[in-house]
Amino acid sequence: MTEDLFVLPASFGQQRLWLLEQIQPDLPLYNEAVGLRLHGPLEPAALAAAMTGVLSRHEVLRTVLELEGAEVVQVVRAAGPTELPVFDVAGGHDAAMAEARALAGIPFDLGRGPLIRCRLMRVAPEEHLFAIVVHHAVADGWSLGVMLRELTALYSAAVRGESLDVLPELEVQYADFAAWQRQRWEEGELAGQLEHWREELAGAVPLRFPVDHTPAGASGTGTVHAPLKLPAAMIRQLRAVAPDRDVTPFMVVLAAYAAVLSRWTRQQDVVVGLPFAGRSQAELEPLIGFFVNTLPVRLDLSGDPGFLDLLSQVRRRCVGAYGHAEVPFELLVETLKPARRAGRTPLAQTMLAVNNTWLPGSVEAAGLRIEPVPLLQERAHFEVTVDLDGADDALSGSVVLQSDLFGQETADLLARSIVSVLRTASANPGAPVSALSCPLADQRAAATDIEEPAGAAAPVVDREPSDGRPSTPTEVMLSRLWSEVLELDTVGVDDEFYAAGGNSLRAVRVVMRARELGVELPVERVLGEHTIRELATSV
């Protein structure tokens, strides 16, 4: 067992991932993975030394997450040599990729670790595949680029027989960022930014997607994909006629996507999650860690605005979001207390991401050509995601929908609708949103009823008046647990958990304390809005 060196506060992002892992502990929903194709003569010992160097430099890669008292903490373990045996794989590159994807599909245990695993596979004498899988709690997309750059430099030094002290010393570690983040929050430095979000999101309601299936709840473990290619000419045309000349390709796509969402859901109030790198200080840029934040950008499509007017609003809202991007998404949820539903991301049910990998096409290192290749994984953290990459005005990628909720036809229609809106808007930029061609909206117009989304709230049932006191053994147990975790003298069985001072971490603590008493509570139900009386009926 590797020695534990430090116990430090977890970042807010790590805390949220720890909570999510308690809901679905045996699923690889938050694994990050990349395969490196190595072309040329490889020295495995040098690669192992380089990987040892990366883990030595970045404490976060030697970290596990544990619950200590009422807080999630990072436990940093001592550095040690990386074992990197070479596995011979018959069947060529495709067989090696299949093994790499299988490796990426193995869940991590956040409390045991390690939270990174590697496998070096030999396909031919001068052809290898190096698979790297890491949990999102210790690395984001940017981090994979940092890891590749450092591996390249350290491998080259090792092959030449030089010292591995070739990289600049890191000024800070990820744990320093986590401590700084918490200090800023506790000292009120983020209060102004939080107030911005409070005003922006006041009264926002969840998107109600017309789903194809209505299971008990969406898990994100299965997805349906559809390719999406956005012609550069359309985006370039819209940027050229936009009132604001510094509109980016991303903003054009976001305006088109918001138009599709509004037409599809028949809602004029649309919130889209945007990923933000979260590295606001220069010393954070060379670090590996979980920095990425989610910004819930709200758009108003009431009054059927013209596309250019919508584009101007998108730019304004994006600039405002980027200027207030340091409030962790987790704190927005806990502070704003939006309506919660098990199996659904609060505040934003959809995400639009562009170029979130930060990986080059290929790099050279001591006679090797290293080519990163994606390891596709079946996962969807949001009900609907649009994932794009590209340069300049040419963007391509895919739409990813949770298969618990949607079928392949809907994914295909969504991809077609985004392109169709862009095409008609580029031909007539002043056209109102209602006039833009949207196959998804046309399909829904043919339906007579609007389906409720998966996991929709159950109808309200009239109950007999209650004096608030527990009346069954289960209610008594839950009342005691709530009092303990919420630090309240008394809790009524009709009190709502979050209104009584609860938060996601406290909800999981209720589950864990109940397990100690031999009672298994449904974690997803506990994380949703509920009272003791409502929860007791599901035990």
Side-chain angles (χ1 to χ4, degrees):
M1 179 66 70
T2 307
E3 178 189 2
D4 293 346
L5 295 181
F6 313 109
V7 178
L8 304 159
S11 69
F12 291 111
Q14 287 180 321
Q15 177 177 296
R16 180 166 183 264
L17 289 186
W18 183 89
L19 289 167
L20 292 172
E21 289 285 3
Q22 309 315 303
I23 301 173
Q24 296 171 309
D26 300 322
L27 297 173
L29 292 178
Y30 295 93
N31 287 6
E32 298 288 323
V34 64
L36 302 179
R37 294 190 69 176
L38 309 177
H39 306 276
L42 172 69
E43 296 189 20
L47 184 60
M51 200 68 204
T52 297
V54 173
L55 268 67
S56 297
R57 282 172 55 80
H58 296 274
E59 292 176 357
V60 71
L61 294 178
R62 298 179 272 116
T63 293
V64 297
L65 299 180
E66 297 179 355
L67 186 65
E68 185 176 89
E71 300 294 335
V72 180
V73 296
Q74 301 182 69
V75 180
V76 182
R77 293 176 173 167
T82 301
E83 300 293 334
L84 204 59
V86 181
F87 296 88
D88 287 301
V89 177
H93 174 70
D94 290 344
M97 284 293 292
E99 288 203 20
R101 291 191 181 105
L103 186 73
I106 300 172
F108 288 98
D109 184 329
L110 290 180
R112 291 188 59 186
L115 301 185
I116 182 172
R117 65 172 73 100
C118 306
R119 177 169 293 181
L120 179 59
M121 292 168 278
R122 180 162 46 215
V123 179
E126 293 192 356
E127 180 79 17
H128 295 75
L129 180 65
F130 185 38
I132 302 173
V133 186
V134 62
H135 195 279
H136 199 22
V138 297
D140 52 22
W142 182 308
S143 299
L144 296 180
V146 173
M147 192 180 301
L148 178 57
R149 288 194 298 273
E150 294 197 354
L151 269 177
T152 301
L154 294 175
Y155 175 78
S156 297
V159 168
R160 293 191 297 264
E162 299 173 355
S163 168
L164 296 191
D165 295 330
V166 295
L167 296 170
E169 184 177 349
L170 296 174
E171 297 182 35
V172 294
Q173 291 286 336
Y174 182 78
D176 297 313
F177 161 77
W180 170 73
Q181 183 188 57
R182 287 185 174 273
Q183 180 182 6
R184 295 190 70 203
W185 172 253
E186 292 166 1
E187 295 180 353
E189 291 186 34
L190 300 179
Q193 294 192 34
L194 181 62
E195 187 58 32
H196 164 86
W197 291 110
R198 196 189 303 275
E199 294 175 1
E200 282 287 300
L201 300 173
V205 297
L207 285 173
R208 299 182 298 275
F209 291 110
V211 299
D212 302 324
H213 319 298
T214 54
S219 67
T221 57
T223 61
V224 289
H225 301 252
L228 178 60
K229 184 176 182 180
L230 305 176
M234 297 180 190
I235 295 176
R236 193 176 300 119
Q237 168 67 15
L238 288 165
R239 292 181 67 197
V241 299
D244 306 287
R245 295 300 178 183
D246 54 350
V247 163
T248 66
F250 171 78
M251 293 174 185
V252 174
V253 177
L254 177 54
Y257 186 46
V260 171
L261 290 173
S262 180
R263 296 282 303 281
W264 183 20
T265 63
R266 296 178 181 170
Q267 292 176 251
Q268 299 173 339
D269 189 0
V270 172
V271 179
V272 181
L274 310 182
F276 186 75
R279 298 170 186 251
S280 57
Q281 295 175 295
E283 56 264 39
L284 301 181
E285 293 181 7
L287 287 185
I288 292 171
F290 178 38
F291 295 93
V292 67
N293 196 17
T294 299
L295 308 181
V297 173
R298 185 181 187 182
L299 298 168
D300 179 8
L301 287 90
S302 62
D304 197 15
F307 187 83
L308 290 184
D309 292 332
L310 176 58
L311 186 53
S312 292
Q313 183 190 163
V314 164
R315 180 189 176 279
R316 184 173 67 255
R317 296 291 177 92
C318 284
V319 170
Y322 298 149
H324 301 83
E326 294 179 278
V327 180
F329 181 77
E330 300 72 31
L331 290 180
L332 283 182
V333 172
E334 299 297 354
T335 304
L336 302 184
K337 300 186 183 303
R340 298 171 188 252
R341 182 185 298 164
R344 161 173 275 199
T345 305
L347 295 180
Q349 292 73 53
T350 182
M351 171 169 276
L352 173 63
V354 175
N355 192 22
N356 59 357
T357 60
W358 293 279
L359 287 169
S362 65
V363 294
E364 301 289 330
L368 277 184
R369 180 166 61 87
I370 304 175
E371 176 189 351
V373 291
L375 300 177
L376 298 177
Q377 299 171 66
E378 293 290 305
R379 59 180 186 171
H381 302 146
F382 293 79
E383 294 173 38
V384 179
T385 302
V386 177
D387 229 336
L388 298 172
D389 203 349
D392 299 323
D393 296 317
L395 299 172
S396 62
S398 63
V399 299
V400 184
L401 281 64
Q402 290 182 348
S403 59
D404 293 19
L405 306 178
F406 304 100
Q408 185 62 51
E409 181 184 3
T410 299
D412 295 336
L413 278 170
L414 176 56
R416 283 175 49 200
S417 296
I418 296 171
V419 175
S420 184
V421 164
L422 281 171
R423 180 180 295 112
T424 51
S426 62
N428 184 6
V433 166
S434 63
L436 302 175
S437 175
C438 181
L440 263 178
D442 296 339
Q443 182 200 57
R444 189 175 184 196
T448 56
D449 297 310
I450 300 176
E451 297 181 67
E452 281 299 313
V460 176
V461 178
D462 291 333
R463 302 183 185 276
E464 292 295 323
S466 167
D467 60 8
R469 291 182 294 184
S471 58
T472 68
T474 301
E475 289 181 358
V476 170
M477 177 203 68
L478 291 173
S479 179
R480 290 173 179 170
L481 286 181
W482 281 31
S483 296
E484 174 188 334
V485 171
L486 297 176
E487 299 178 350
L488 297 174
D489 292 334
T490 59
V491 180
V493 295
D494 297 309
D495 292 343
E496 201 279 320
F497 183 75
Y498 294 97
N503 56 36
S504 299
L505 182 57
R506 286 176 169 172
V508 172
R509 287 178 59 204
V510 168
V511 173
M512 299 180 81
R513 285 286 294 116
R515 283 177 184 164
E516 293 172 4
L517 299 174
V519 178
E520 190 67 34
L521 298 177
V523 182
E524 287 197 8
R525 184 74 181 87
V526 175
L527 285 172
E529 291 185 334
H530 59 276
T531 66
I532 287 175
R533 180 146 288 163
E534 291 167 344
L535 183 57
T537 62
S538 61
V539 177

